[in-house]
Amino acid sequence: QLSEDVEQVSENPTEDREGEMEVHEDSSSVILPDGELGTTTPSLRFSKTCLKNVFSVILLFIYLLLMAVAVFLVYQTISDFREKLKHPVMSVTYKEVSLYDAPGIAFYPGKARLLSCKHHYYDHIPPLINPGQPGDIECTTQRINYTDPFTNQTMKYALVVQGPRDVKKRELVFLQFHLNETDQDFSAIDYLLFSSFQEFVSSPEKAKFMKDCESSYSSWKFSGGFRTWVKMSLVKTKEEDGSETVEFKQETSVVNYIDQRTKPRSDQLFFVVFEWKDPFIQTVQDIITANPWNMIALLCGIFLALFKAADFAKLSVKWMIKIRRRHLKRTRQVTNHIS
C-alpha cells in the first residue's frame, strides 16, 4: 500500500507542474485557486512522507528494543536452566502402609541378659510381674558373634530381635534386661536398627551382614533404671545412581523405674519399648526442576520473534531507502523542470 501511494505521488507532480507552468505563463491568473492548489499540494505530500518515515523509524527502534529483550530472555533462560541442573531440589513424598517389613533390632548387652520380650498392642503394657526375674520370651531372637568392622580384632556379641510390624494396631515390643553387677559408673546398653529382620535371617553370611549394618547405621543407647520408649519412623533416600538407602529416625521418652523389690540390690534393670511412630514411609530424592522441553519451546518462540523482527527491520530500512531515493529523484526532476 505504501508503494502504491508513492507511485501515485510520483505520477501526480507532472500534472501539478503543468498547472504551475500555465499559472506562471498567465500573469492574470496568479491568485486562481488552481494555482494555490498546485503550490500547496507538494508540501502536504512531503509532510505525509516525512511522517511516514518518522513512524517507520520509531517502529524500527521498537523492534530493535524487542530484539534486545528477546536476546536477554535467551541468555536468562539458558542461565536458569544451567543453575537448576547444578542445584536440584529435594522432594519429599509420604507413602502410607498398614504393615511394615519387620525391622531388626541388634542389642549389644555385654554382661546383661535378656529376661523377657513380648509383643503388645494399642500402647498397652500390663504391670510387671516379678521384675528382675526371668519371664517369657515371645519374640523371635538370634544370637551372633562377629568381629568389629572398625578394628577387625575385637569380637562382638549381638542379640538380634524382630521388631514390630502392625502399625494400625500400634504393635510394640517390650524388652527387659538384667545386669547383675557392674564396676562402671554408668550403665547402658547399645542397640542399632536395620531395615529388615527377614533379610538378616535369609542372609548366608550373617556376620558380614551385621558388619555392614554396623558400618552403615548409627547406634543408640538406653540406660538402666528407666523405661525408654522408642518411636521409630522410616526414611528412604534415593541417590543419583538409582540406589536407595534406609535410615531410621527416633523419638524417645524416658520414664523412671520405681524399684519396689523388698531387699536393696546392686543390680540394674533395663526396660525398653519399640513402636512405629506413624504409618508413613518418607521418601527423599533430589529432582531437577528444569524441564528441557519447556526451555526448547521457549527458545524456539524467542528465535522466531528474533527472525521476524530482523526481517521487519530489514524491510523497513529498504522501504525508507527506496522512499528517500524517489523523493530525491522527484526533487531533481522538479528542479530541472523549473530551471
Side-chain angles (χ1 to χ4, degrees):
Q1 291 177 356
L2 292 174
S3 300
E4 291 174 1
D5 293 340
V6 171
E7 290 176 357
Q8 292 177 3
V9 170
S10 63
E11 292 174 0
N12 292 333
T14 58
E15 298 176 0
D16 296 336
R17 286 195 297 271
E18 293 177 356
E20 290 176 359
M21 295 303 295
E22 292 175 343
V23 170
H24 286 294
E25 289 175 358
D26 189 359
S27 59
S28 62
S29 59
V30 176
I31 58 174
L32 290 176
D34 293 339
E36 291 179 358
L37 182 62
T39 56
T40 57
T41 301
S43 62
L44 292 176
R45 288 171 180 167
F46 176 75
S47 63
K48 290 181 180 179
T49 305
C50 183
L51 287 176
K52 290 178 181 178
N53 290 336
V54 172
F55 183 69
S56 299
V57 171
I58 293 174
L59 280 179
L60 180 61
F61 278 109
I62 290 174
Y63 275 90
L64 289 176
L65 179 62
L66 292 177
M67 288 177 64
V69 173
V71 171
F72 174 76
L73 287 177
V74 170
Y75 172 77
Q76 193 67 29
T77 301
I78 296 175
S79 300
D80 290 345
F81 183 77
R82 294 179 60 186
E83 192 69 20
K84 289 178 181 178
L85 287 178
K86 293 180 182 178
H87 301 90
V89 178
M90 181 179 292
S91 171
V92 181
T93 57
Y94 294 89
K95 179 183 177 182
E96 185 176 2
V97 295
S98 57
L99 290 175
Y100 279 94
D101 188 8
I105 309 171
F107 295 96
Y108 301 93
K111 296 181 180 180
R113 67 189 179 101
L114 179 64
L115 294 181
S116 64
C117 178
K118 292 184 179 181
H119 289 260
H120 301 286
Y121 296 90
Y122 300 106
D123 291 344
H124 174 69
I125 299 177
L128 296 174
I129 300 175
N130 297 324
Q133 300 298 321
D136 297 331
I137 299 178
E138 300 175 356
C139 306
T140 304
T141 61
Q142 287 199 12
R143 290 172 170 81
I144 184 172
N145 295 319
Y146 64 94
T147 57
D148 193 316
F150 302 104
T151 62
N152 290 326
Q153 295 178 355
T154 308
M155 290 296 296
K156 302 191 72 172
Y157 161 70
L159 173 66
V160 183
V161 179
Q162 182 178 359
R165 296 188 63 224
D166 197 339
V167 65
K168 293 295 184 181
K169 295 182 179 179
R170 306 181 73 175
E171 179 185 2
L172 57 87
V173 178
F174 177 60
L175 300 99
Q176 180 184 178
F177 290 87
H178 174 261
L179 179 62
N180 190 14
E181 290 183 359
T182 179
D183 54 356
Q184 299 177 354
D185 296 329
F186 303 96
S187 58
I189 295 177
D190 295 337
Y191 71 94
L192 66 83
L193 301 170
F194 55 90
S195 59
S196 176
F197 180 79
Q198 187 60 36
E199 289 184 7
F200 167 75
V201 173
S202 58
S203 176
E205 298 181 359
K206 294 181 173 56
K208 183 178 182 301
F209 183 90
M210 289 304 303
K211 290 173 67 175
D212 293 339
C213 287
E214 188 172 354
S215 302
S216 303
Y217 298 105
S218 302
S219 61
W220 293 272
K221 298 177 182 290
F222 59 94
S223 301
F226 298 93
R227 186 192 68 183
T228 304
W229 198 302
V230 180
K231 291 191 176 183
M232 307 173 293
S233 58
L234 193 62
V235 179
K236 295 182 179 180
T237 304
K238 292 185 178 180
E239 304 295 340
E240 294 182 359
D241 57 357
S243 61
E244 188 176 79
T245 59
V246 179
E247 178 186 1
F248 283 90
K249 291 186 176 180
Q250 302 184 41
E251 294 182 4
T252 59
S253 60
V254 179
V255 179
N256 185 34
Y257 168 66
I258 302 175
D259 194 348
Q260 297 181 351
R261 291 177 294 180
T262 55
K263 296 181 180 180
R265 300 175 182 269
S266 60
D267 58 352
Q268 286 284 339
L269 295 179
F270 302 80
F271 305 95
V272 63
V273 180
F274 291 92
E275 180 189 12
W276 288 108
K277 177 184 176 182
D278 50 48
F280 299 102
I281 298 177
Q282 182 178 344
T283 303
V284 180
Q285 61 180 346
D286 291 335
I287 60 173
I288 298 175
T289 57
N291 191 341
W293 296 110
N294 290 342
M295 189 195 72
I296 292 173
L298 180 60
L299 290 178
C300 288
I302 292 174
F303 282 122
L304 181 61
L306 279 174
F307 290 138
K308 283 291 184 181
D311 187 54
F312 178 82
K314 182 177 68 174
L315 292 177
S316 299
V317 171
K318 286 183 177 180
W319 180 78
M320 285 189 293
I321 293 174
K322 185 177 180 181
I323 293 298
R324 179 65 178 170
R325 286 177 179 176
R326 287 186 178 181
H327 177 69
L328 293 176
K329 183 178 180 181
R330 188 169 63 248
T331 303
R332 285 196 299 268
Q333 289 176 354
V334 172
T335 305
N336 292 335
H337 187 73
I338 294 173
S339 61

